[in-house]
Amino acid sequence: MDFATNFKRICQEKGTTPTTVCKELGLSTSKVNMWNNGSLPKQEMLVTLAKHLGCSVMDFFADEEDLRKKAEPENDDEFDI
């Protein structure tokens, strides 16, 4: 999944929208269109977005497999005595 898709997903999980996040950070809302068209934010902006949303920068670049792993509960039963 690309940055824009993950950004939108993370925003939805946090109960907000990409446009709202941009406004809260004092960014032009045209940034959302740029990101939807394939542009990537600079490193500093990725850090700012991640801090604002309470996530990791790497969450913006997660693929389907990463999301499945995150959703699967860890099985600690094999260590029970």
Side-chain angles (χ1 to χ4, degrees), residues 57-74:
V57 169
M58 293 307 296
D59 291 338
F60 295 129
F61 301 98
D63 60 20
E64 294 290 336
E65 184 177 335
D66 293 333
L67 296 176
R68 277 194 302 273
K69 286 179 185 176
K70 193 173 184 179
E72 292 174 1
E74 291 188 26

Side-chain angles (χ1 to χ4, degrees), residues 5-38:
T5 302
N6 280 316
F7 181 45
K8 184 177 178 180
R9 175 186 53 78
I10 293 165
C11 286
Q12 286 177 328
E13 290 172 359
K14 303 295 182 175
T16 190
T17 66
T19 301
T20 300
V21 169
C22 284
K23 287 179 181 178
E24 290 171 348
L25 294 174
L27 302 172
S28 168
T29 56
S30 66
K31 293 284 188 193
V32 175
N33 287 331
M34 290 173 50
W35 297 334
N36 284 335
N37 290 326

Side-chain angles (χ1 to χ4, degrees), residues 38-55:
S39 293
L40 291 175
K42 292 183 178 181
Q43 183 177 357
E44 298 84 15
M45 181 52 58
L46 288 170
V47 172
T48 299
L49 291 168
K51 284 181 182 179
H52 187 78
L53 291 167
C55 67

